[in-house]
Amino acid sequence: MTTIETRIKQKKAEISANGNDRNSEANQAMKALVYHSPGNKSWEEKPKPQLVKPTDAIVKISKTTICGTDLHIMKGDVPTVTDGRIIGHEGVGVIEEVGSAVSNFKKSDHVIISCITSCGKCDYCKKGMYSHCTDGGWILGNLIDGTQAEYVRIPHADNSLYPIPAGSDEEALVMLSDILPTGFECGVLNGQVKPGDIIAIIGAGPVGLATLLTAQFYTPAEIIMIDVDDSRLAVAKTFGATQTINSNDGKAVEKLMKFTNEKGVDVAIEAVGIPATFELCQAIIGAGGHIANIGVHGKSVTLHLETLWSKNITITTRLVDTVTTPMLLKTVQSKKIAPKKLITHHYKLDEIIKAYETFGNAAKEKALKVILTNE
Amino acid sequence: MTTIETRIKQKKAEISANGNDRNSEANQAMKALVYHSPGNKSWEEKPKPQLVKPTDAIVKISKTTICGTDLHIMKGDVPTVTDGRIIGHEGVGVIEEVGSAVSNFKKSDHVIISCITSCGKCDYCKKGMYSHCTDGGWILGNLIDGTQAEYVRIPHADNSLYPIPAGSDEEALVMLSDILPTGFECGVLNGQVKPGDIIAIIGAGPVGLATLLTAQFYTPAEIIMIDVDDSRLAVAKTFGATQTINSNDGKAVEKLMKFTNEKGVDVAIEAVGIPATFELCQAIIGAGGHIANIGVHGKSVTLHLETLWSKNITITTRLVDTVTTPMLLKTVQSKKIAPKKLITHHYKLDEIIKAYETFGNAAKEKALKVILTNE
Amino acid sequence: MTTIETRIKQKKAEISANGNDRNSEANQAMKALVYHSPGNKSWEEKPKPQLVKPTDAIVKISKTTICGTDLHIMKGDVPTVTDGRIIGHEGVGVIEEVGSAVSNFKKSDHVIISCITSCGKCDYCKKGMYSHCTDGGWILGNLIDGTQAEYVRIPHADNSLYPIPAGSDEEALVMLSDILPTGFECGVLNGQVKPGDIIAIIGAGPVGLATLLTAQFYTPAEIIMIDVDDSRLAVAKTFGATQTINSNDGKAVEKLMKFTNEKGVDVAIEAVGIPATFELCQAIIGAGGHIANIGVHGKSVTLHLETLWSKNITITTRLVDTVTTPMLLKTVQSKKIAPKKLITHHYKLDEIIKAYETFGNAAKEKALKVILTNE
Amino acid sequence: MTTIETRIKQKKAEISANGNDRNSEANQAMKALVYHSPGNKSWEEKPKPQLVKPTDAIVKISKTTICGTDLHIMKGDVPTVTDGRIIGHEGVGVIEEVGSAVSNFKKSDHVIISCITSCGKCDYCKKGMYSHCTDGGWILGNLIDGTQAEYVRIPHADNSLYPIPAGSDEEALVMLSDILPTGFECGVLNGQVKPGDIIAIIGAGPVGLATLLTAQFYTPAEIIMIDVDDSRLAVAKTFGATQTINSNDGKAVEKLMKFTNEKGVDVAIEAVGIPATFELCQAIIGAGGHIANIGVHGKSVTLHLETLWSKNITITTRLVDTVTTPMLLKTVQSKKIAPKKLITHHYKLDEIIKAYETFGNAAKEKALKVILTNE
């Protein structure tokens, strides 16, 4: 049995062990978005979640959003998600109840929900690699029920929730659940962006744009945004891109190399997840440069070691750890970054099916992030 | 015209510009190993090199050695090496003459010759990336004449030679020209070896063994050496490998994963240069781990981003910069490392053709590094 | 009210809140070393500790030891330690009982007790700065009862205990509670010891010697040990010091500068805690060097910015975080370090008063670390 | 004889060795600002400088400026400056002539003159510690004649000059000679400023303001500027300070601690150079924080190790290396920073005596940097 299969079994066992408690409150129901099978989801009634472990918290969702990964789930691309699962791994809300071992939070606290659950006490968590937490990682809306619902159970609440300072704009902070730390950690930090650098970001979707916003923390000289959609590139310009290239004409490499006097870029960030864009990163990277992969890849790619072996480059991969959430929160609070720019559409939570349609037609709808409010 | 073609032309122009000087001393000849065409080399008479620029030095070779790259050159695999080129990029010697702008060295100084020429004043050199020096890099025995000769001209002598402390063992220091910094910089430093780590080195040839020696500077818990040749693995044991695996049976991955409780290794160092060994590195790397490529690859490889995208790994490539030569010299002087272990055979310089035969049949001859002495 | 006063009150409140439980088992007693007033301690009966919070564990002590800090406590130098406190912050033992929220450990597990308690979920713990944990830090044998007893309560057990691998030598691992991480983190890591460096360690007591042992993880060229006690210097030689200097003659600076060709050392580690030794570090540090303070200082010192301002140096201070305990454990398990060397004396736990006498006369008794076994 | 005395002798010897050349062109004179004795300087005729070594360049000054250090020199505080010395270590200009070993520059090139001379080939230069270059460092306007003149000789020109891109604003680039790299390297880089940090800069003079400008490269949440002069603090506000504190009332520590919820700041940067301001840094630094000293101190200070020993802090000192000049130049070229803001006054070069008066009464004149143009 693989590790992931073991973990699915374990998660199910944990929850059913508390079945009696749940039945006793069976009259408490809520609405949630449920995955059934590829292409088949519904907004339906589900039992309100209960505390399972003393380290859990129950959070009433205020606002949530939809991730590109959720679209993959809905197509059936994520085999760990099975029939009946409530989807969603982003959101902010209010604490409804905490387990006896939770000490950082109490009922009524406003919180950001991290897409990554972290126990804080395994070897990986101690190294700041929460994404590989042996009792957490990306489990919300994957191995356990998620945030596209009126309520959600958050395991290891002390390490997986973050307090929202009084007077904050909740909408902006939904961007801290996943997309900002993903762009920042996998793209900007792994890419080692420095003042004066020339960096290229391949892909101007929500994650690429989050990377663009957070790359500016380190004041690169040039941020070149590459995409095949002119309207996204126009958005990138307003977000701080100094150059944009539409790669549809097959001349992106040529343009980039000319722009850099044939030296190539200092940092190339892949925010798409297909072989062609990773290929592009290899073609434009300068000697001593960094290729930071953010994209979720479904296929292997060709690595040109026949030329890269002597080019002193670094390639990184990363599932977001959300270890920088406190740092990012400070930058939002001090208005150094305006993540709200990423939000293009608003719906009520019970209009989520419609919201999925909008987000699923992102190019046509000019959609980036869609906010769902639980009123 | 490519950069490399431009540089070959430029190097030729520099030397012929001083042609008159050379002719005036045309009676001064020396012996050298000359590449003519694939499979065709000879130990023959050549003019003794002259100073071309004020930053040059002429060094009388005391000892030199043969590199695996030289074997590739002799097969015709390195197109920048053309008919008439004196081969070799390693060695120690005595300064014969210095140009007017050389200030670190003077006639009669004992010196280590670095395989990498560094001007010390281009953007790359200032960043410590000597391998990409715009007027240097790997040019010795490649774009200009090299060290398998009685004398050699060293451009940018101040930054490309290192003083040999009085009373040192010259033979050990020949290992500082290329092989020790290569194993250390491309393998150990790029792999970020830490105390307590489990590291695997793929390939127990001279470079892999140099990596093994220098990895011990950082006290990993386990150094697992993988090769297909039992006698090399036996040598690795005596060099400090804590485990060895002969991968001939196709079970190396299985063994490694079992040894690491299915977690994979912290660092995997590729010291061969073929797709199969790079594939092995990907199969055994643990979450958060580092794959450090040393091998010179002739073909592209498959990068399994479909599994690695979420594994938080780092892959590095590097042409040795020899920026750590002063550090390595200190470790040799203080007897923290004994690079002489790498030397298996000795010849006189004029027996170099025979030495090539021995080194070319390394497995049979159990050859690692071969010392050639100019007596 | 200062932070520390607030914390003492809070700790007392936590424990008394569980008073009823304690009374119900009031018949359970144990023996412990208790501080009463300066110069007044006794080995006496105390109630066996009980679980107070769901994150606690009760550990039966197998082996413990005495720290230099304990001597200070006994003199009354540590005002946070009040009448009735059980002393001690080092030890190994066997889990007797765990709270409901403890998941890394269970009854009968063998564990190392860290001198630093870490909640794993405050801002400091998330940054790896366990020493400043808002609900932990150095509290054992300080703000709460400690390890020089038959049993001890360990708060935040999941993050403050470390599992002992089967078949390990428990005695060696007592050195992981405090002294090895202290030497390693405050001295070696903060000093940024590198291969080939010349480092000086001022003070050859137990902490200085632990620094000496762990400095060798990074293969410095020279480790110069400075002390006023020849017998300690002789021990240092057997532990790996390459040079020793008795500073009694006032010529330590002169000797060091001569040894380093007037350049000064790369790293100077202060392991005493008085102005004179910190002064010595400033006198011998080379340009670009690192002064790492380990000593517990009772007085301010003079910092010679009038000369150091232009010397590009770094000075660090640190209360040990024990964040490297897992790394150190791996180096012990793989026999890269033999911390048992630090142990000079053995007593039974109930002979602890005698053990304090021995340790208190360290110079005369040639004592380093004293092991106390609870049989 | 001390190192510095040795170096003064050596510099004089180098120059007089070329005395004959100089005499042969003795008719060539220029005007320069010459130090004679404390309080005694004059704008007078001096021989135009000549090439002394093949690595030299002669630069015709276009623009120069006055540094706070020059004021100290004029008071007689810098004993290495002797009667007859031309002062000044900042400026931009045009290459008049280069030595035979200079390859990065040629006649008519526009260049920035670095205040630090770097040979590029000693151990310190190879480590990027140009400030301690064994044949350079801060010698301009100190051990050799400087830039407050119509012409200046620049030793080691290839490593000590930087090319000015076509179309640049020369005035802004004068700030790259010294003040911007000083604030950036000694303050921002050594202080390890990170996104979201709270940083305090003590001293709102030119260096403190240069630190303020470059600190913003790393997007701290708060930059608190502390000074005793309200008009400087007002300037700091326009340069990006988020808070200012006038410390005249003796309540700066109290205010800072309140602002940080008694945690202290992440980074405290000392840009004054007196005991009181270094004391302030120690009082406000938070656990885990960094104190970066920029100030030139004439006296020792008290270091409170009795409280700081356990606070996990770092203190750094540094004479600027100007190793970041290429990076800073990129940020200026891409308009990420506007160093021209630092310029408050303009004079012709031959009005330099008047310019000194203005700069010497900085508070009254509201002077920051004064530009002197050689027309």
Side-chain angles (χ1 to χ4, degrees), chain C residues 181-193:
Chain C
T182 294
F184 184 54
E185 296 177 7
C186 310
V188 179
L189 288 187
N190 274 14
Q192 300 182 38
V193 176

Side-chain angles (χ1 to χ4, degrees), chain B residues 155-264:
Chain B
H156 300 295
D158 275 336
N159 288 69
S160 310
L161 297 174
Y162 294 89
I164 295 182
S168 302
D169 178 347
E170 281 193 332
E171 269 191 34
L173 299 183
V174 175
M175 303 299 111
L176 287 183
S177 287
D178 178 347
I179 195 161
L180 271 194
T182 294
F184 184 54
E185 295 178 6
C186 310
V188 178
L189 289 187
N190 273 14
Q192 299 181 39
V193 175
K194 291 187 311 297
D197 273 359
I198 299 180
I199 77 170
I201 301 171
I202 325 299
V207 172
L209 291 169
T211 308
L212 170 57
L213 287 177
T214 54
Q216 294 170 64
F217 289 158
Y218 295 99
T219 319
E222 303 284 346
I223 309 179
I224 304 155
M225 210 78 191
I226 304 172
D227 202 299
V228 294
D229 178 336
D230 278 331
S231 80
R232 287 194 156 181
L233 290 173
V235 172
K237 275 279 190 186
T238 71
F239 277 47
T242 61
Q243 307 282 335
T244 58
I245 295 178
N246 187 317
S247 56
N248 260 331
D249 60 3
K251 294 188 178 166
V253 175
E254 189 185 323
K255 286 175 188 168
L256 250 307
M257 293 311 287
K258 192 174 165 196
F259 182 76
T260 60
N261 293 320
E262 307 301 324
K263 285 191 181 165

Side-chain angles (χ1 to χ4, degrees), chain C residues 129-170:
Chain C
M129 241 174 89
Y130 304 165
S131 57
H132 289 71
C133 172
T134 55
D135 193 46
W138 175 43
I139 58 171
L140 274 186
N142 179 10
L143 304 188
I144 64 170
D145 287 340
T147 59
Q148 292 171 8
E150 292 177 323
Y151 295 88
V152 64
R153 179 179 69 93
I154 303 295
H156 299 297
D158 275 337
N159 288 69
S160 309
L161 297 174
Y162 293 89
I164 296 183
S168 302
D169 178 346
E170 280 193 333

Side-chain angles (χ1 to χ4, degrees), chain A residues 53-55 100-104 119-123 126-127 130 156 158-162 323 326 330, chain C residues 53-55 100-104 119-123 126-127 130 156 158-162 323 326 330:
Chain A
K53 290 199 166 182
T55 43
S100 61
V102 172
S103 60
N104 284 356
C119 76
K121 54 196 189 185
C122 70
D123 287 352
K126 285 182 180 180
K127 285 191 275 190
Y130 304 165
H156 300 296
D158 274 336
N159 288 67
S160 309
L161 297 174
Y162 293 89
V323 70
K330 289 175 190 171
Chain C
K53 290 198 167 183
T55 44
S100 62
V102 173
S103 61
N104 284 356
C119 76
K121 54 197 188 185
C122 70
D123 286 352
K126 284 183 179 178
K127 285 192 275 190
Y130 304 165
H156 299 297
D158 275 337
N159 288 69
S160 309
L161 297 174
Y162 293 89
V323 70
K330 289 176 191 169

